[in-house]
Amino acid sequence: MSENTVNHPVTAKKVNPRIENYKMIWKRLKKNKAALIGGYLIVFFIVVAIFGPMLLSKDPNSTDIANKLVGPSAEYWFGTDNFGRDIFTRIIHGMGITLYVGFLSVIIGLVVGVPLGIVSGYYGGRIDNFIMRIMDILLAFPGILLALAIVSVLGGSLQNVIIAVGIFSVPAFARIVRGSTLSVKKLEYIDAVRALGATDFRIIFRHILPNVMSPIIVQATLRIATAVLTAAGLSFLGLGAQPPMPEWGAMLSEGRDYIYDAWHVAFFPGMMIVLVVLAFNIFGDGIRDALDPKMKQ
């Protein structure tokens, strides 16, 4: 009597290192309560910017002189301004403008600054000196002054503000990416890939760029806060969004003349600028801690 036994091979579950790395980053990020609050606020702001204007029946630019400078009430949650416009409605509509300026200007800085930084760090030599000297010239000016000069030349408008903030964001991305590229290209596996016949294009986009994404993500998150604050400052000076656009910096500028008689006109736009900038800053700090290789187990 023979007994046949069938041995089923045990297949090991394949583990994707990239997915595991994302899980570890999320695990570390969850431990930072302040960063989570900032992230939730950012998601809330984005949802409000997209769907908020659809849910409001009031026109942000409709005037009612009979009810001008009315304080916060059940009818006007944030009160009205000097033209009788509902401040709450204008702030909700202005949310999309603020985030649009912040994200688009940072995207411009990314698209221009990241390739310049990688090329500068990878090739070095005269190319590196030429690119970095241009970046040094741009960095010699404080960001707000550089943006102010650019807008003064191009003219005051929301589009020109985006271009100006994007231009002064380029040097920050270029320098950070250059430094990371210099570190990555010295690794042994880059030499191995090059020895196997990989082109510079493949090395840069398949091996170097993925390894410098962490500082890029952190810088982009923090840079959005700077872009929002700079754009609001330019609009406050009258060089950004033009009336009657409900941009928070412009609203803050209009409200400063009534700060003693109607505090709410300047308070609520200023409060929203602070909340958005604070949310991106604390979330960016949390992302930086979560992506820090020194915190890996």
Side-chain angles (χ1 to χ4, degrees):
M1 184 177 178
S2 62
E3 182 179 356
N4 296 326
T5 59
V6 179
N7 295 325
H8 298 282
V10 178
T11 58
K13 185 179 179 181
K14 293 183 178 180
V15 177
N16 191 326
R18 184 171 297 180
I19 295 178
E20 292 299 318
N21 186 41
Y22 290 152
K23 289 181 179 179
M24 185 63 67
I25 292 172
W26 171 243
K27 185 178 179 180
R28 289 197 295 267
L29 185 62
K30 287 195 298 183
K31 296 179 181 180
N32 192 331
K33 302 301 181 183
L36 284 181
I37 293 174
Y40 292 145
L41 281 175
I42 292 171
V43 173
F44 173 74
F45 292 148
I46 294 174
V47 171
V48 170
I50 296 173
F51 299 104
M54 304 178 187
L55 303 177
L56 297 176
S57 58
K58 295 180 180 178
D59 185 349
N61 296 323
S62 62
T63 60
D64 184 6
I65 301 301
N67 290 315
K68 68 177 183 177
L69 300 178
V70 174
S73 63
E75 182 179 1
Y76 302 105
W77 290 1
F78 289 176
T80 62
D81 63 8
N82 54 310
F83 292 104
R85 297 173 296 193
D86 184 26
I87 295 177
F88 178 78
T89 301
R90 290 177 61 77
I91 282 179
I92 297 300
H93 282 266
M95 184 84 70
I97 298 173
T98 298
L99 295 181
Y100 171 75
V101 172
F103 280 102
L104 188 57
S105 59
V106 169
I107 289 174
I108 293 174
L110 280 169
V111 170
V112 179
V114 171
L116 288 177
I118 290 181
V119 170
S120 178
Y122 183 79
Y123 290 104
R126 293 182 178 180
I127 296 177
D128 182 28
N129 288 331
F130 177 75
I131 294 176
M132 285 300 105
R133 295 303 75 77
I134 295 177
M135 297 301 106
D136 289 341
I137 292 173
L138 294 177
L139 286 172
F141 300 92
I144 185 65
L145 291 183
L146 179 60
L148 185 62
I150 295 172
V151 172
S152 299
V153 173
L154 298 178
S157 69
L158 190 64
Q159 289 73 22
N160 291 340
V161 166
I162 294 173
I163 294 173
V165 177
I167 290 174
F168 98 76
S169 297
V170 169
F173 286 108
R175 278 201 162 276
I176 288 176
V177 173
R178 174 184 176 270
S180 300
T181 301
L182 288 173
S183 300
V184 173
K185 79 170 187 177
K186 294 178 182 179
L187 299 178
E188 293 181 357
Y189 85 94
I190 298 294
D191 294 332
V193 171
R194 186 182 292 109
L196 292 174
T199 62
D200 290 344
F201 183 87
R202 181 179 179 84
I203 293 174
I204 289 173
F205 287 96
R206 290 293 300 274
H207 300 284
I208 292 182
L209 183 59
N211 284 284
V212 301
M213 286 303 297
S214 294
I216 291 175
I217 293 172
V218 173
Q219 179 64 20
T221 307
L222 296 172
R223 204 67 187 178
I224 292 175
T226 304
V228 168
L229 195 59
T230 303
L234 293 174
S235 296
F236 181 84
L237 297 174
L239 296 174
Q242 301 300 310
M245 185 177 290
E247 201 276 334
W248 294 346
M251 293 172 62
L252 186 62
S253 179
E254 293 175 358
R256 62 179 172 174
D257 295 330
Y258 307 94
I259 195 168
Y260 294 108
D261 300 326
W263 58 272
H264 61 278
V265 180
F267 173 78
F268 289 109
M271 178 189 68
M272 292 307 302
I273 294 173
V274 171
L275 286 177
V276 170
V277 172
L278 181 63
F280 277 103
N281 275 330
I282 61 177
F283 182 68
D285 288 339
I287 289 290
R288 179 180 57 196
D289 294 340
L291 294 174
D292 188 356
K294 296 180 182 178
M295 297 183 66
K296 292 182 179 180
Q297 299 295 331

